[in-house]
Amino acid sequence: MFKSKAPDATRKWYENMLGIEDDPYGYKFEWIDKEDTGKTGVTVWSPMPEDSDYLGDADQQYMINYRVHNLERLTVQLRENGVVILDEIEEYEGLGKFLHIIDIDGRRVELWEPA
């Protein structure tokens, strides 16, 4: 996810110039798991409004989303290690579970356990 002065125009430009079509959550690049070829995953590309606070403070221009296993257990481990946790785990039907933390450099990071 990254900030854009005009996210709708950015989405349209990428669609017209590079064929990257998206939905409200961004374009999903699908891939096949190297270890288990029956398993698939996605990498999401998503322009966000320039004034969005979803990515963190005003200076943060992008946010990385890490795909994780067992978000509940990971959250306990992160707390035990003093990691700043910004919110509670949220679950969205069909998408999975999400949590936001602050990394060692002060960046907001999104953790995602797919549905």
Side-chain angles (χ1 to χ4, degrees):
M1 292 165 269
F2 60 94
K3 289 185 180 180
S4 171
K5 291 180 182 182
D8 291 336
T10 299
R11 290 171 190 269
K12 191 51 111 177
W13 187 91
Y14 275 89
E15 182 176 348
N16 291 336
M17 300 301 144
L18 299 177
I20 299 175
E21 298 178 32
D22 69 340
D23 63 26
Y25 300 107
Y27 184 79
K28 294 171 186 74
F29 293 92
E30 293 185 24
W31 44 268
I32 296 172
D33 189 286
K34 178 181 170 185
E35 305 293 319
D36 179 357
T37 57
K39 208 177 193 184
T40 60
V42 295
T43 299
V44 177
W45 172 92
S46 184
M48 308 284 287
E50 191 173 44
D51 61 353
S52 172
D53 60 358
Y54 188 76
L55 305 184
D57 66 38
D59 294 334
Q60 187 166 329
Q61 296 298 306
Y62 66 91
M63 182 172 61
I64 296 174
N65 167 297
Y66 290 104
R67 184 178 170 139
V68 301
H69 297 283
N70 197 334
L71 188 53
E72 285 86 0
R73 185 177 68 204
L74 178 58
T75 302
V76 170
Q77 292 171 343
L78 293 171
R79 276 197 177 103
E80 288 172 352
N81 285 287
V83 174
V84 175
I85 299 184
L86 297 173
D87 47 22
E88 298 297 320
I89 295 172
E90 291 189 40
E91 187 167 2
Y92 297 92
E93 188 174 332
L95 293 175
K97 299 175 186 175
F98 296 85
L99 180 74
H100 299 95
I101 64 170
I102 299 294
D103 75 5
I104 193 168
D105 292 320
R107 279 183 297 270
R108 181 178 173 112
V109 173
E110 185 172 74
L111 304 177
W112 169 47
E113 181 181 335

